[in-house]
Amino acid sequence: YAPKQAEYMRNMYTKILHQDPDLVPALKHITWPAMSFNYGGNVVTNKHVDCMNLPQGWCAIWAGGDYDPTQGGHLILWELGLVIEFPPSSVILIPSSIVPHGNIAIQPNETRVSMTHFCPGGLARWVHADFRPMKSLSQAERQEVHGGEGNERWSSMVSLFSTMDTLISDREALKKQ
């Protein structure tokens, strides 16, 4: 449901793997370059944004464990005014660096773990800077890596999100490539 996002991530991940042939993807069919595991029995996250993640990037959040999803473990998307039942084995995609999120605690004697797939913003900048540190770039090169300034930069990031009206044509366009 995010064809332009998937293509963006696939292209970036391919460049990373070509840059260093010794790298091996942790999961063969996952194009996010990073993942985290949260375990310990009762994983709860307070309201937060993942400010180091790629702003326009999707983050896949998976919950597992043994808990009653009607009593706890709900995903909260504060700015959207949503509290979502999130049963074990559920997955959701959100732009985690710009959408505040967290979850509700589960009941005593239940377990909840989570796994996330994401792209660090610094990694994307490094790839776009042709695998060079930002401090080594000229001001013009930095601007190009960042996709322009202000509205231009924001527009380029937002353009990676499909709408209900463009989803089918976005999918078809990628099939033709």
Side-chain angles (χ1 to χ4, degrees):
Y1 295 98
K4 293 186 286 185
Q5 288 280 344
E7 184 68 8
Y8 175 88
M9 293 302 296
R10 192 172 15 262
N11 288 339
M12 188 175 57
Y13 204 26
T14 299
K15 289 177 183 177
I16 292 168
L17 294 174
H18 281 120
Q19 172 68 15
D20 186 346
D22 291 333
L23 290 176
V24 177
L27 298 170
K28 188 176 182 179
H29 299 291
I30 301 293
T31 58
W32 284 282
M35 70 176 97
S36 67
F37 299 91
N38 301 303
Y39 57 92
N42 186 358
V43 172
V44 176
T45 58
N46 295 320
K47 181 180 180 180
H48 70 286
V49 292
D50 300 308
C51 61
M52 300 302 283
N53 288 0
L54 188 65
Q56 74 272 22
W58 288 106
C59 174
I61 303 170
W62 172 87
D66 184 18
Y67 61 93
D68 180 350
T70 65
Q71 298 298 308
H74 297 64
L75 178 69
I76 307 169
L77 303 175
W78 274 270
E79 303 297 321
L80 301 177
L82 297 173
V83 177
I84 304 166
E85 276 189 20
F86 209 65
S89 297
S90 294
V91 176
I92 191 167
L93 298 172
I94 63 170
S96 68
S97 68
I98 59 175
V99 174
H101 59 285
N103 69 284
I104 295 172
I106 57 174
Q107 302 299 305
N109 301 319
E110 294 180 330
T111 59
R112 182 181 182 281
V113 297
S114 69
M115 178 176 58
T116 61
H117 296 279
F118 59 96
C119 179
L123 181 61
R125 284 188 300 277
W126 182 66
V127 171
H128 292 301
D130 294 324
F131 306 99
R132 298 178 294 162
M134 292 297 285
K135 64 183 178 184
S136 72
L137 304 179
S138 70
Q139 185 62 29
E141 289 172 318
R142 286 182 194 186
Q143 210 170 357
E144 186 177 326
V145 167
H146 285 301
E149 290 187 21
N151 290 339
E152 179 186 358
R153 182 178 179 190
W154 181 249
S155 293
S156 70
M157 289 190 289
V158 170
S159 73
L160 293 176
F161 290 95
S162 297
T163 65
M164 293 304 291
D165 292 336
T166 67
L167 183 59
I168 293 172
S169 61
D170 291 345
R171 284 184 183 162
E172 292 302 318
L174 289 176
K175 285 179 187 177
K176 292 177 184 176
Q177 291 181 1

